């Protein structure tokens, strides 16, 4: 019999003696790693240190879990296909108040903390902002006291490792799990059967109710692996639960014994493929099917786990929305709407209307894009073959939705087509964005501008039908990782200047404002920035063999490579600047290093071409003896969280130059500004709110607004005329298209540049002159150090509102109906 739950004793205090911790490290090294300290290698010490840290977190973890059960608190379940968590040891130690103690303990053992910390695997469980946001949210939920589980996939390889071969992106498998993961716990008792394909059986129950039974043709098992997520000062430890796919039968012995040694592993290989790679290329039908399988796999496993836990504690489902909040991070888990309905109706025998009320009351949906093509949709034949019962449910939801639209809202045929869950403009496709919208009680955008645009663009007609459903929750970042840990020099300076209160209340950064014009504080702020730039310059030299001058302005654009993010605009400006410097070397040019990093989707041809162009331009510019002392271009391969932690503190200028109206929010813009970089950007995404926060005089804004972009697109603007009217732009484009930077293949960029002449959908040409003028404004500011550092300091001082703690508190009170438990 299971004993009644009781709260554990209070966890250990933050401060511990280094000698005690050192003994524990040796103990773990000896008895858990199996190594004598005399022969232990750095990776052995790392594992021992992680195990000591993990054991400290477990005390808080169990206490928080028991407390949630005892008090019957409502839980949040955050479903995301990505969790870009990065390295965990430094993060956990800092939040437990043990970072300095562990550093001192390892020093007693003649072990360098930074050396072993650098060996920790950087978990490749995400692609970019979406996954990093999910990681920040998990840490903030623990910090502010929201009981939460994160649910995702335990990818064997995750996103690819990017190598640059002759300037081209090459995708290699990421092997972060090669030596295991000391942070995770295998929860073999939390295993669920996940079905695909098969048939649906119908029957009547008692002559009144309809009952359906799905008989899948194929099944796999989802097995849970749990990682503790530690909040600030150990306030709470929540759980990140990742699913691994296993076959029901690992090997068909009859086939193996018959000599079919490869075929006997077919089921095992199919299951393994489910959780092997993040975002399998979906250009082929097989790739699309694998992607849909992944999304259903983790959504179904998560919902089965949620309902099992709820039923175990409460024994009924009528209170589900009162005790459970399921948040869908983008459309990847949107199939949850149909799956939750299936589980409630078919497994737990709840009638459709009641199940629908429970589903809508439980689910919230976060939208991350205004691009219609980025709102996932699946061919109906694929969806119906793979998930036949879910297709029936979606058709039933759609029928009720469309009847209500016609009868209650007098919508036109075009408006009804717009809200339908089935897109019939070409081949019939299931619209996952619409499914998530109608199946959620709250739909939020991730920046004020983005949320307003949702109402008039992709969800215009659904918003008319459900006018109270869309709300805004501007994204945020966790300052623990993106200031305290990645920039300890600046954190120390701020602490020495205004005291430590900002460590617990980040909005106290505003106490720095009076020091913005103080020459001595400016000098100290500049020294910290220089130290961070020195470290980055060393990394670039070691990895790339390129020497960059820390005295130069570090101009950094790091993010996923996409045409709307306009790395191409930045590169073209570099080419134009290169021409100007060559033409007038006698002028007093501001030394500048342009740094790019980011990955392109494997099948995104133009994005991969932009990476090649960046490397071609870098090769030419960096080898020119006249220019290279003034301008250098660097593309850093394999951008990840650990690299970002070096780039963000070292940046002088943050490039946030997406086409207005196309970036939902951005979080890189917040990280750079918090660390004292000035932003050059369009009025897009969260740039709008950053401008309001830091002051319009402390950010460099250029380019068309979202309204102007839309007007140009609708009115058929002539990009050729725009290009011909700008001599600098015209000459730069001719040089690129003509093969100046690609003598081995003069036509390599003809198509890429031709697109700017033909349609310029992303307004690269239209914004070029404004962008170059803004860059020269940056040069002017840089030439006045006192003014530059004043603006940089004010950026840091005024970014406290963009903490993910604030974002999570808003989610908790306004969407989830939870009062955060920690102030």
């Amino acid at each position: 019999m299971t004993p009644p739950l009781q709260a554990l004793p209070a966890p250990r205090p933050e401060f511990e003696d280094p000698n005690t911790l050192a003994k524990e490290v040796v103990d773990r090294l000896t008895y858990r790693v199996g190594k004598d300290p005399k022969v232990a290698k750095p990776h052995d010490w790392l594992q021992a240190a992680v195990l000591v840290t993990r054991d400290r977190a477990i005390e808080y973890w169990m206490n928080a879990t028991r407390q949630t059960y005892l008090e019957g608190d409502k839980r949040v379940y955050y479903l995301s296909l990505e969790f870009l968590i990065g390295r965990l040891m430094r993060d956990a130690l800092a939040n437990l108040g043990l970072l300095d103690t562990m550093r001192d303990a390892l020093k007693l053992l003649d072990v360098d903390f930074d050396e072993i910390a650098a060996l920790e695997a950087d978990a490749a469980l995400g692609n970019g902002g979406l996954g990093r946001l999910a990681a920040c949210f998990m840490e903030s939920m623990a910090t502010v006291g929201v009981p939460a589980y994160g649910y995702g996939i335990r990818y064997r390889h995750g996103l690819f490792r990017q190598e640059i071969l002759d300037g081209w992106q090459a995708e290699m498998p990421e092997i972060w799990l090669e030596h295991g993961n000391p942070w995770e716990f295998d929860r073999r008792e939390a295993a669920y059967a996940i079905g695909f394909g098969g048939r649906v059986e119908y029957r009547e129950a008692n002559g009144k109710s309809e009952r359906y039974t799905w008989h899948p043709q194929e099944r796999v098992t989802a097995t849970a692996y749990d990682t503790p997520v530690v909040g600030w000062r150990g306030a709470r430890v929540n759980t990140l639960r990742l699913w691994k796919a296993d076959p029901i039968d690992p090997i068909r012995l009859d086939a193996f014994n018959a000599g079919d040694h490869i075929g006997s592993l077919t089921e095992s290989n199919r299951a393994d493929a489910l959780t092997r790679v993040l975002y399998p290329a979906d250009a082929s039908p097989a790739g699309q099917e694998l992607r849909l399988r992944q999304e259903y796999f983790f959504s179904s496993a998560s919902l089965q786990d949620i309902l099992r836990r709820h039923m175990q504690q409460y024994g009924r489902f009528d209170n589900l929305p009162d005790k459970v909040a399921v948040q869908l991070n983008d459309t990847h888990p949107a199939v949850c709407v149909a799956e939750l309905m299936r589980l409630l109706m078919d497994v737990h025998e709840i009638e459709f209307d009641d199940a629908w009320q429970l589903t809508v009351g439980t689910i919230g949906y976060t939208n991350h894009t205004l691009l219609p093509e980025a709102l996932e949709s699946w061919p109906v034949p694929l969806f119906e073959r793979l998930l036949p019962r879910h297709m029936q449910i979606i058709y039933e939801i759609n029928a009720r939705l469309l009847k209500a639209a016609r009868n209650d809202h007098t919508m036109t045929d075009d408006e009804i087509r717009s809200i339908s869950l089935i897109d019939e403009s070409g081949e019939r496709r299931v619209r996952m964005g619409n499914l998530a919208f109608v199946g959620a009680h709250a739909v939020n955008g991730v920046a004020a501008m983005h949320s307003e645009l949702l109402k008039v663009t992709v969800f215009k007609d659904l918003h008319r039908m459900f006018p109270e459903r869309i709300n805004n929750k501007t994204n945020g970042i966790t300052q623990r990782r993106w200031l305290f840990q990645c920039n300890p020099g600046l954190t120390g300076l701020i602490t020495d200047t205004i005291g430590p209160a900002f460590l617990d209340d980040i909005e106290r950064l505003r106490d720095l404002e009076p020091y913005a014009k103080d020459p001595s504080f400016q000098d100290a702020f500049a020294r910290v920035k220089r130290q961070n730039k020195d470290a980055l310059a060393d990394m670039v030299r070691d990895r790339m063999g390129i020497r960059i001058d820390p005295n130069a302005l570090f101009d950094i654009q790091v993010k996923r490579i996409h045409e709307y993010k306009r790395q191409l605009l930045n590169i073209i400006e570099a080419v134009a600047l290169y021409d100007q410097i060559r033409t007038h070397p006698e002028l007093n040019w501001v030394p500048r290093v342009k740094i790019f990093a980011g990955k392109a989707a494997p099948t995104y041809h133009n994005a991969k071409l932009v990476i090649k162009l960046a490397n071609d331009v870098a090769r030419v510019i960096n080898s020119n003896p006249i220019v290279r002392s003034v301008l250098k271009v660097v593309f850093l391969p394999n951008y990840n969280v650990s690299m970002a932690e070096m780039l963000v503190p070292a940046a002088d200028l943050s490039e946030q130059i997406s086409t207005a109206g196309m970036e939902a929010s951005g979080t890189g813009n917040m990280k750079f500004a918090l660390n004292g970089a000035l932003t050059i950007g369009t009025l897009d995404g969260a740039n709008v709110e950053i401008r309001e926060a830091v002051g319009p005089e402390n950010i460099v804004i250029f380019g068309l607004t979202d309204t102007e972009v839309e007007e140009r697109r609708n009115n058929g603007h002539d990009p050729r005329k725009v290009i011909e009217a700008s001599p600098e732009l015209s000459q730069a484009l001719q040089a690129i298209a003509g093969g100046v930077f690609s003598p081995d293949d003069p036509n390599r960029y003809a198509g890429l540049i031709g697109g700017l002449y033909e349609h310029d959908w992303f307004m690269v040409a239209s914004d070029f002159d404004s962008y170059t003028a803004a860059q020269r404004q940056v040069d002017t500011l840089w030439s006045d150090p006192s003014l530059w550092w004043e603006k940089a300091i004010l950026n840091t001082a005024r970014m406290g509102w963009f903490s993910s703690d604030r974002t999570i508190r808003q989610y908790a009170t306004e969407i989830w109906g939870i009062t955060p438990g920690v102030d």
Side-chain angles (χ1 to χ4, degrees), residues 298-355:
F298 102 94
S299 296
S300 177
S302 303
L303 287 176
Q304 290 185 62
D305 197 44
I306 291 165
L307 294 185
R308 186 268 308 163
R309 184 177 298 108
H310 181 84
M311 195 66 176
Q312 177 180 305
Q313 185 166 5
Y314 300 106
R316 58 194 177 94
F317 285 115
D318 62 310
N319 63 343
L320 189 68
D322 300 324
K323 296 299 181 181
V324 170
V326 174
Q327 191 68 32
L328 310 181
N329 192 27
D330 213 17
T331 56
H332 307 132
V335 72
C336 278
V337 175
E339 173 67 356
L340 184 52
M341 288 291 289
R342 182 189 74 83
L343 292 170
L344 291 174
M345 292 191 299
D346 298 356
V347 177
H348 298 286
E349 300 188 343
I350 297 174
E351 298 302 322
F352 187 99
D353 290 340
D354 293 333

Side-chain angles (χ1 to χ4, degrees), residues 466-483:
F466 304 98
E468 304 301 321
R469 193 157 292 187
I470 295 178
N471 63 91
N472 178 58
K473 298 292 172 283
T474 298
N475 282 344
I477 58 173
T478 170
Q479 63 272 16
R480 269 81 58 182
R481 184 178 288 259
W482 297 110
L483 177 61

